[in-house]
Amino acid sequence: MKATFGQNLLRIILGLFMTTAGIGHLTFQRDEFQAQVPSFLTDNESFIDFVVLSSGVVEILFGLSLLFVVKYRPHVGIALAIFYILIFPGNISQYTNGIDAFGLDTDLKRLVRLFFQPVLILWALWSTDGLKFLSNKFKK
């Protein structure tokens, strides 16, 4: 499947975003990412840190895959969309518990952030031809 210029541009932007976010998990935004780990998951600080660090590594891998893995581009997009779904409870937790992080310091800002997650999911699927790949799989 040949990607359009727009798809490639948005895939590259998303890849850079994911790589930067992953680095943030490991370094300068570690505390803010720890605040997003849902309290129902654990209250153990070491495990929370493990979740943040491991998800940071995963995000870096997704970012680099978006940038450099051409052969499996649709698969990467589908996996990233699933990842966005899996981390959504952290965003819900941030909203429902009124947790300030990443400049989201009001309920309205945290609520608006919830509506951005579907945008990320569609972005990952569209920019990688994941939607077309899935559509073709279900047509068979």
Side-chain angles (χ1 to χ4, degrees):
M1 291 178 238
K2 180 97 167 100
T4 67
F5 173 79
Q7 285 174 303
N8 281 327
L9 178 63
L10 288 177
R11 180 182 47 77
I12 290 167
I13 291 169
L14 187 57
L16 294 171
F17 167 77
M18 290 301 296
T19 304
T20 302
I23 292 168
H25 276 72
L26 306 178
T27 58
F28 63 98
Q29 291 180 313
R30 195 164 166 180
D31 290 339
E32 290 183 277
F33 281 111
Q34 288 174 344
Q36 283 199 284
V37 175
S39 57
F40 68 80
L41 192 60
T42 185
D43 62 352
N44 181 299
E45 289 185 28
S46 295
F47 187 71
I48 290 170
D49 197 42
F50 169 76
V51 168
V52 169
L53 293 173
S54 59
S55 62
V57 170
V58 169
E59 288 188 8
I60 291 169
L61 291 173
F62 273 126
L64 294 175
S65 295
L66 286 169
L67 295 171
F68 300 112
V69 177
V70 176
K71 183 176 180 181
Y72 297 104
R73 186 178 62 232
H75 300 88
V76 171
I78 293 165
L80 180 56
I82 292 168
F83 177 77
Y84 286 145
I85 292 166
L86 292 174
I87 64 169
F88 191 58
N91 299 335
I92 294 170
S93 175
Q94 183 179 9
Y95 172 69
T96 58
N97 295 308
I99 299 168
D100 294 345
F102 306 107
L104 304 174
D105 54 5
T106 67
D107 285 341
L108 179 60
K109 289 178 183 178
R110 289 184 285 269
L111 180 64
V112 169
R113 168 65 181 92
L114 294 178
F115 292 97
F116 190 64
Q117 201 73 5
V119 172
L120 284 173
I121 292 165
L122 289 173
W123 184 352
L125 291 172
W126 181 79
S127 68
T128 61
D129 266 337
L131 284 174
K132 191 180 294 182
F133 179 85
L134 288 172
S135 175
N136 290 339
K137 283 289 184 192
F138 287 115
K139 283 182 185 176
K140 294 179 180 179

